[in-house]
Amino acid sequence: MASAHLMRVVQTVEVLEAVVRRAFGPHGGQVLFTRDTGQAMVSRSGTRILTALRLDNPLARMIVEWVSGHSSRTGDGSKSFILLLASLVRTIDRAACWDLSLSHSSGSDLHCSSARRLAYELLSFSLQLDHLITVRVVPYGQRLAWKDMFTVLPSPVQKLLLAFFHTRLSHNNCIFISGLLCELLSNWTAEDPQPYSALQFLNDTWPALYTPVVGFPVGNSRLLEGQIIHRDFAVPSTPTAQGPVKAVVLTEPLGRFMEAGDVLQIGNKGSISPLGSFTERSLECVLSHLQSLGVSVLLSSVKQSAAVLALAAQAQMGVVECIGQEDLVLFSRLSEATPVSTFWNIRPENVVSLAFCKPILLGAHRYVHVGFPAKDHLRPCSLVVCGAGAGQSEQHALAMQDAIKMLLTTWQPPASEQLENPTHVTAKNTSHHQSGLQGCVLTAGGTFEFLLSRALRQNSVNGQSNVVSWILADSLLCIPRYIYSNKPGSFAQIQATIGKFPEHPVDGTIHLKCERSTQDPGLESAFCKYQLLLAVLQCVSQLFRTDAVIHTSSRLKTISNISCEEGGEAEG
């Protein structure tokens, strides 16, 4: 690694640091972007800010890819990732210079080799972090109890969400959005003490669970019973006087069910009618069969023919066509419907009962609103997210999805999300301590960083990894420094307070209280912090393993490309 490249690494992370620093923390501001089209985007989301940048520097693009990958898994920590990364890179650079001065050596190659070695040792040291955090940090936190969200106000879950949104959204909307998400979670989890499966379901089906509405204040956002299918009726449905609405889900055009030479089975007694060609009369038989099953709504993932729509209108049967895959998957999971692709496969068991199926107007768009019969105390609902512009409504919806990912990570951290390099950390290496981090939260505002920094400094005195413990301990404090940059006295006050805590508390949970503000700082997830630290250490190691950045004016040739070219020349 050349000395110029090491300097370029430092400069690159510091440029990204300067971008996200303005939006960091509970008192951070929003960043305004103007696109080529003239459209303005205002956001506090670190991932959205970083991905909106036009980056020609390959190192910067690599860092942003690391940040995006981490954020997509855990839903949190993109700005902290950049700040901690910049602090670590600077501290490693200083430690490498100090190492050379102690050895009375000089030279850019030795400096780079020392920096690379320190980055490697930091990644290896991460094997000890889960145990260190479990023993020296977790005892100062508290365990989340999902049932408290329904009985205690404000519950720890609500405090966790409120602190999360204070770093992502406008301060005026944080309380409202966190309350709305809590209401959504309470409907879907049904007071389940282990909500991991419900959270996973919400995360997987999120694009179909919310509907953005433009032109209304954020305060108009609300929950609606059932599901919003993001299509309008091609043929209006006739409301039933009483009883459930019966529907069938189709995945092929109805006209393709019967082609020349096919046979059509009608009725339950096995009577078969031969069809020589597709005619209007045969379609009438199809719809008559569906009506005999009580079907009054056809939900189709594809477009139906004009003849089908006309006959459905005559039969007063509603048709919704071209339903998106995401909406169809959610509907199938909630209704337990089995989509059919051929007419002769339609049986009574393919017919699903709905509580209602009616049109709904949200903003300037008409959709289909369906309801499901009550089951297992669950209350399926959809979310309507309003905003003055499309960017604001999408921003709030993405923040809520990221909050669900954060809760998912907090509750049952997947072992596969550990460091991917099997040489250093594997799922087997880390899983034995994850139970200590699962569901643990600490007071927000730098508590995790202060406690872990103190533990690392004591570890550097008593253990053998003196240098790497000191590097990590010093770098971690950059997070609370930025949080309290406008009130330096608060930083020193909290650091001194934590320094007086016993190393191994035995009298139960200790809640940190700070005199800096009367406002409750909220809570943050210990495991999300741990995941962030692992991801940053791996990114640092990757940056320092890079020898140089080579700029080319043409496409690089791979071995396969060269072989193909040589083969082509030989054939010619």
Side-chain angles (χ1 to χ4, degrees):
M1 180 189 295
S3 179
H5 177 67
L6 179 58
M7 185 179 299
R8 191 177 295 113
V9 170
V10 176
Q11 292 173 346
T12 300
V13 296
E14 287 183 342
V15 169
L16 295 176
E17 177 190 33
V19 172
V20 302
R21 186 172 55 196
R22 302 172 185 177
F24 177 73
H27 303 291
Q30 301 194 73
V31 177
L32 173 65
F33 289 92
T34 304
R35 296 172 177 159
D36 294 338
T37 59
Q39 182 182 5
M41 182 188 78
V42 179
S43 178
R44 291 186 66 201
S45 168
T47 303
R48 192 164 189 178
I49 292 171
L50 291 170
T51 53
L53 298 175
R54 290 184 175 179
L55 300 173
D56 296 327
N57 189 312
L59 287 175
R61 289 201 300 268
M62 185 180 75
I63 293 171
V64 171
E65 288 177 1
W66 274 104
V67 175
S68 300
H70 171 74
S71 180
S72 65
R73 292 190 301 271
T74 65
D76 193 18
S78 53
K79 288 174 286 192
S80 297
F81 189 110
I82 295 295
L83 298 180
L84 184 55
L85 176 66
S87 181
L88 272 170
V89 167
R90 285 192 295 263
T91 308
I92 290 174
D93 187 29
R94 292 196 303 268
C97 295
W98 180 66
D99 191 25
L100 291 179
S101 65
L102 291 180
S103 61
H104 303 288
S105 303
S106 61
S108 60
D109 291 340
L110 291 176
H111 181 209
C112 295
S113 298
S114 178
R116 177 182 294 179
R117 175 182 55 82
L118 290 172
Y120 179 87
E121 291 178 357
L122 274 168
L123 186 60
S124 300
F125 179 70
S126 63
L127 284 167
Q128 307 176 31
L129 284 176
D130 58 341
H131 175 71
L132 192 64
I133 295 171
T134 300
V135 174
R136 305 291 295 276
V137 177
V138 168
Y140 295 96
Q142 60 179 306
R143 296 289 175 182
L144 286 180
W146 194 260
K147 62 180 181 180
D148 291 342
M149 189 173 73
F150 311 97
T151 58
V152 181
L153 295 176
S155 70
V157 176
Q158 291 172 318
K159 292 182 179 180
L160 180 64
L161 290 174
L162 187 59
F164 176 86
F165 287 124
H166 267 299
T167 66
R168 298 289 299 271
L169 303 175
S170 170
H171 303 301
N172 299 330
N173 299 323
C174 290
I175 296 178
F176 174 76
I177 293 296
S178 61
L180 189 62
L181 183 57
C182 282
E183 185 180 356
L184 177 76
L185 294 174
S186 65
N187 285 348
W188 279 98
T189 56
E191 304 185 24
D192 187 351
Q194 297 297 330
Y196 178 78
S197 59
L199 291 171
Q200 186 67 64
F201 176 84
L202 292 177
N203 182 56
D204 293 341
T205 59
W206 181 256
L209 281 173
Y210 82 95
T211 304
V213 177
V214 179
F216 293 88
V218 176
N220 283 21
S221 303
R222 62 194 184 278
L223 299 181
L224 292 176
E225 177 188 358
Q227 179 188 356
I228 302 297
I229 297 178
H230 298 95
R231 296 292 299 178
D232 193 7
F233 278 101
V235 175
S237 175
T238 302
T240 57
Q242 58 182 358
V245 177
K246 293 187 177 182
V248 168
V249 180
L250 307 175
T251 58
E252 291 288 345
L254 199 58
R256 291 182 58 187
F257 291 169
M258 301 163 295
E259 297 178 355
D262 289 344
V263 293
L264 172 65
Q265 180 177 341
I266 300 179
N268 298 323
K269 297 182 179 180
S271 59
I272 299 177
S273 301
L275 295 176
S277 62
F278 178 68
T279 63
E280 181 177 342
R281 183 173 180 179
S282 63
L283 264 182
E284 291 176 352
C285 293
V286 174
L287 294 178
S288 176
H289 175 58
L290 291 173
Q291 285 182 310
S292 69
L293 296 175
V295 175
S296 59
V297 175
L298 296 179
L299 302 175
S300 173
S301 62
V302 296
K303 186 173 180 60
Q304 298 294 332
S305 65
V308 171
L309 300 182
L311 290 172
Q314 292 179 11
Q316 296 184 336
M317 184 178 296
V319 180
V320 185
E321 55 184 1
C322 301
I323 300 175
Q325 183 65 23
E326 294 169 340
D327 285 341
L328 196 63
V329 169
L330 177 60
F331 178 86
S332 298
R333 294 180 67 174
L334 293 178
S335 64
E336 299 181 356
T338 302
V340 292
S341 58
T342 54
F343 174 77
W344 46 84
N345 285 337
I346 299 179
R347 299 290 185 269
E349 55 266 25
N350 299 122
V351 180
V352 297
S353 295
L354 303 175
F356 58 83
C357 181
K358 57 187 179 181
I360 185 173
L361 181 64
L362 296 176
H365 300 279
R366 288 173 58 91
Y367 302 110
V368 176
H369 188 195
V370 297
F372 305 94
K375 183 179 179 181
D376 298 333
H377 304 289
L378 290 177
R379 299 183 296 275
C381 59
S382 295
L383 178 65
V384 177
V385 184
C386 299
Q392 187 182 35
S393 58
E394 290 292 343
Q395 179 182 358
H396 285 81
L398 289 174
M400 296 174 84
Q401 183 184 19
D402 285 343
I404 292 174
K405 291 181 181 178
M406 180 269 295
L407 290 174
L408 190 62
T409 304
T410 300
W411 225 265
Q412 187 173 330
S416 60
E417 290 187 7
Q418 308 304 316
L419 284 179
E420 299 173 1
N421 192 334
T423 306
H424 304 293
V425 179
T426 63
K428 182 179 179 180
N429 296 134
T430 58
S431 60
H432 62 287
H433 285 301
Q434 286 183 6
S435 59
L437 298 176
Q438 181 180 3
C440 176
V441 292
L442 299 108
T443 304
T447 303
F448 177 88
E449 288 79 13
F450 279 125
L451 289 171
L452 183 55
S453 178
R454 186 186 72 163
L456 287 166
R457 291 183 187 278
Q458 293 169 347
N459 183 71
S460 66
V461 174
N462 303 325
Q464 297 179 354
S465 305
N466 295 349
V467 176
V468 293
S469 294
W470 172 81
I471 291 174
L472 193 53
D474 187 70
S475 300
L476 278 169
L477 294 181
C478 76
I479 301 297
R481 282 196 180 98
Y482 282 125
I483 292 176
Y484 306 117
S485 58
N486 57 338
K487 296 181 179 179
S490 297
F491 176 88
Q493 175 195 347
I494 299 176
Q495 188 176 27
T497 302
I498 293 178
K500 298 176 182 178
F501 285 170
E503 295 184 16
H504 303 284
V506 294
D507 56 346
T509 301
I510 296 179
H511 300 278
L512 300 182
K513 294 183 179 180
C514 177
E515 298 177 0
R516 69 187 184 277
S517 174
T518 57
Q519 183 180 1
D520 189 342
L523 301 170
E524 56 189 4
S525 167
F527 191 79
C528 286
K529 289 285 188 177
Y530 170 62
Q531 288 285 304
L532 170 66
L533 196 52
L534 293 181
V536 172
L537 289 176
Q538 190 174 7
C539 182
V540 168
S541 177
Q542 186 68 32
L543 286 174
F544 282 97
R545 280 205 304 264
T546 305
D547 291 319
V549 177
I550 302 175
H551 296 275
T552 62
S553 56
S554 61
R555 179 185 175 188
L556 292 176
K557 292 185 177 181
T558 62
I559 295 178
S560 59
N561 289 339
I562 295 175
S563 300
C564 291
E565 290 180 3
E566 290 177 351
E569 292 175 359
E571 291 176 1

